[in-house]
Amino acid sequence: MDQTTAPQPTTFTRRAGLSGLRLGWANVRHHWLRLVFVILVWGGYQLRINGWSDGVAIVGWSLGGVFVFAVLFYGLHGLSTIRLTRDELVVTRFGVRQRLPRDEVGDLVRGRAYPNHANASQEVHYRFITDVRGQRFAAIPEWSFPDSTFEDLAVVLGVESRPVTGPAEERRLSPWWMRSLWLTTLVSGVALVVLVALVWWASVALKDWLHARAETAAQETFVAQVEPQLTTSRFPHLDLEDQGAPASPLSVSAYAETSSEVRLRSWVKLVGTDPELSSAEAIELLDIQCAASTEEAEVTVSQLGYESDGVFGYDRYVELACASDPSDVHDWLTWSEQHPADQDAGSFTVTQRRFSMGEQLDLEIVGYAVDASDKAFRATMEHMCAFPGADEANVTVYDRDMERSIPHVRCDSIEGHLAE
């Protein structure tokens, strides 16, 4: 007796492969002048606001990021497949899988042409795969898969591959974002704005990362250069404790203008029982800090803090702009060591600053009286005004609670200031 076997339905598999990469390369070749223009304008802007080193780094990293994103996008697209098994049609795009029973597949409808931005001489069509009820199952641009993919699929399925019957059918089959030119433009515009915002955010984040890395490197280099020189045998007043725990007397902060231009401010803590700083020790510590500048990191300000008795009365603070002439600060330190202030005079801060244009400012001497009484203010002003360079300095006095102040003290009118 003859036996016959029913024919098995034909299967079909088609992978996108390099179709997306070919389209991306076609876009680049067609729009290379525009791309170069955008890169030059955006790169010039980055160079202008961030400087040469940071600008080149940001542009390079951003272009590299865009390239990697494009390769990943088109590479992921290359994994898209149309697979027809004995039981179902499976469409996988960007990791999203759609399934439709094989016997429910309707027609393969070719939509109207859309502008091809990669090559104006060619048209781009969408293919709509419908079910037997005429509803859209999938909408796929033809460029997503190799030529003749959809015609071959229609033959295997035994369904019709036909053009769309008119605008009404295409509108019904199209996804919501394709149903009008206005809506498509709006969605594309939003996507473009989001992309630009992401690129902008990435460039700012990259700039911050470059600056943070440069600041950290500059601080580590500074500490490695200066800290070994801070020994108690050389500087006996170094403060090696912080709230009873061992600590370095050196601290440094950094600010990066660019990744190759970092500014440092350093501070050394001192402690002792004498009412005044040792001038030789203080001057050498200021010089050591300023001398640690490098081509990549400039020490702009060196500072000293001295605490003699653990309370406010004998605190001393010195701040020196490294690019300034330190002679006035040296004179103050030498004079104050030779003429120690009484405890009633309070604490003193001496600052030598410099304008960004290079002009040196007058020495600033600020006294902090132990209280707001006339007696305390008089003692503080008399001590500052006894300094030989006080007439050329900017002298100010406060009480330690900042309730009373006398700015721009005139040393020949101390009683007049107190009477105000």
Side-chain angles (χ1 to χ4, degrees), residues 42-60 207 210-211 256-261:
W42 182 67
Y45 172 75
Q46 293 295 333
L47 291 174
R48 180 178 180 182
I49 65 172
N50 295 310
W52 178 256
S53 60
D54 278 4
V56 170
I58 289 173
V59 172
K207 175 183 175 181
L210 290 171
H211 284 192
E257 293 284 349
T258 68
S259 59
S260 60
E261 185 180 349

Side-chain angles (χ1 to χ4, degrees), residues 378-395:
R378 183 181 292 107
T380 302
M381 287 190 288
E382 285 179 348
H383 180 74
M384 292 188 293
C385 288
F387 171 56
D391 291 338
E392 289 76 34
N394 184 3
V395 179

Side-chain angles (χ1 to χ4, degrees), residues 345-407:
S347 64
F348 298 95
T349 293
V350 178
T351 304
Q352 181 65 73
R353 293 191 174 93
R354 188 176 179 88
F355 272 136
S356 59
M357 300 301 293
E359 179 182 353
Q360 181 159 313
L361 301 178
D362 291 336
L363 183 70
E364 296 180 17
I365 307 174
V366 180
Y368 295 90
V370 295
D371 56 47
S373 66
D374 285 352
K375 177 183 177 182
F377 265 60
R378 183 181 292 107
T380 302
M381 287 190 288
E382 285 179 348
H383 180 74
M384 292 188 293
C385 288
F387 171 56
D391 291 338
E392 289 76 34
N394 184 3
V395 179
T396 303
V397 62
Y398 301 90
D399 72 288
R400 65 180 181 180
D401 294 324
M402 306 298 286
E403 294 177 353
R404 183 184 183 187
S405 65
I406 301 177

Side-chain angles (χ1 to χ4, degrees), residues 239-251:
D239 186 356
L240 302 178
E241 293 185 357
D242 184 10
Q243 298 181 351
S248 172
L250 177 67
S251 60

Side-chain angles (χ1 to χ4, degrees), residues 299-318:
V299 182
T300 57
V301 175
S302 64
Q303 302 161 90
L304 295 175
Y306 175 71
E307 183 178 332
S308 65
D309 60 359
V311 295
F312 192 84
Y314 284 158
D315 287 350
R316 301 293 183 262
Y317 173 77
V318 180

